[in-house]
Amino acid sequence: MGQSTVRFATLAAVAVTSALALGACGGGSATTRLAAAHGAALDAPALPTRPVAAPEIALHNSLGQPVRLSALRGKAVMLTFIYDHCPDICPAIVGNFHAALERMGPAAASHVAFVAVSVDPRGDTPATVEAFLAKHGMTGRMDYLIGSRHELEPVWRKYGVKVEASPDSREVGHSAFVYGVSGSGKISALYPANFKPGWIVHDVPLLAKE
């Protein structure tokens, strides 16, 4: 396909999110298996279909600042759901965000916002999140939204994110995707957890203009 199309993910895939088995960080995830099964499709751009309005998110980031998804209109938003003591999948997602930012340069980076929503209201604290962001070079470059379970659960539900926690191991099983939200506030792409940074670099200017 031509270079004017957004990489992997149709809106049909958004509906698949809630149907997938949970992938606990620390093991093979459902999203990793999904990506492997669709490896060919993920190697080339694909047209998104029937973009839908992204549900509003209104939470506070780890600095206590209010963040509203609707306030980010005009930018491409890369939205994901993670927790900061995850041993593998979540750090890989954020590490790839960092790699994408480094590749796209300051001008292109001004057209994207990276947003993470916590799936672990007990474990993700302002201190642990700030340490996590610093470790992955994303301090001041990503809003990591935290809160109580009462505050977070409605957001998980609206985005079809299933969350299960093990109180003993503190390992949290959750749906791990990255939603590509367009500048007009529509979910236009869905990326697997093991997306390539180049996909984000490619898609940001396209999503920002939508």
Side-chain angles (χ1 to χ4, degrees), residues 52-61 65-81 97 111-117 142-145 154-156 158-159 161 178-189 207-208 210:
V52 297
E56 178 67 294
I57 297 174
L59 294 167
H60 287 79
N61 65 17
Q65 301 163 334
V67 176
R68 297 185 71 91
L69 184 63
S70 58
L72 300 174
R73 295 285 170 82
K75 293 188 175 185
V77 178
M78 295 297 159
L79 171 67
T80 192
F81 292 77
F97 283 167
H111 297 292
V112 63
F114 293 94
V115 179
V117 177
M142 183 171 81
D143 280 308
Y144 196 129
L145 310 184
V155 179
W156 302 340
K158 287 188 290 186
Y159 279 86
V161 175
V178 176
Y179 294 87
V181 181
S182 70
S184 61
K186 295 180 180 179
I187 298 173
S188 296
L207 287 168
E210 283 189 10

Side-chain angles (χ1 to χ4, degrees), residues 4 17 28 43 69 72 86 124 129 143 159 186 197:
S4 62
T17 310
D43 286 337
L69 184 63
L72 300 174
C86 168
D124 284 351
V129 167
D143 280 308
Y159 279 86
K186 295 180 180 179

Side-chain angles (χ1 to χ4, degrees), residues 23-25 31 57 59 62 78-98 114-125 128-134 136 138 141-147 149 152 155-156 159 161-165 170-179 191-195:
C25 291
T31 50
I57 297 174
L59 294 167
S62 55
M78 295 297 159
L79 171 67
T80 192
F81 292 77
I82 61 176
Y83 68 110
D84 64 28
H85 58 283
C86 168
D88 46 24
I89 297 172
C90 304
I93 289 173
V94 178
N96 281 335
F97 283 167
H98 178 266
F114 293 94
V115 179
V117 177
S118 172
V119 293
D120 185 10
R122 190 177 85 181
D124 284 351
T125 68
T128 62
V129 167
E130 286 309 296
F132 176 84
L133 293 176
H136 297 286
M138 292 299 283
R141 306 174 88 178
M142 183 171 81
D143 280 308
Y144 196 129
L145 310 184
I146 59 177
R149 190 174 188 91
L152 293 170
V155 179
W156 302 340
Y159 279 86
V161 175
K162 293 187 176 182
V163 178
E164 291 180 356
R170 296 301 304 130
E171 192 171 90
V172 180
H174 64 99
S175 308
F177 287 92
V178 176
Y179 294 87
Y191 305 89
N194 59 347
F195 68 91

Side-chain angles (χ1 to χ4, degrees), residues 190-202:
L190 180 70
Y191 305 89
N194 59 347
F195 68 91
K196 298 176 183 177
W199 301 355
I200 304 301
V201 175
H202 173 277

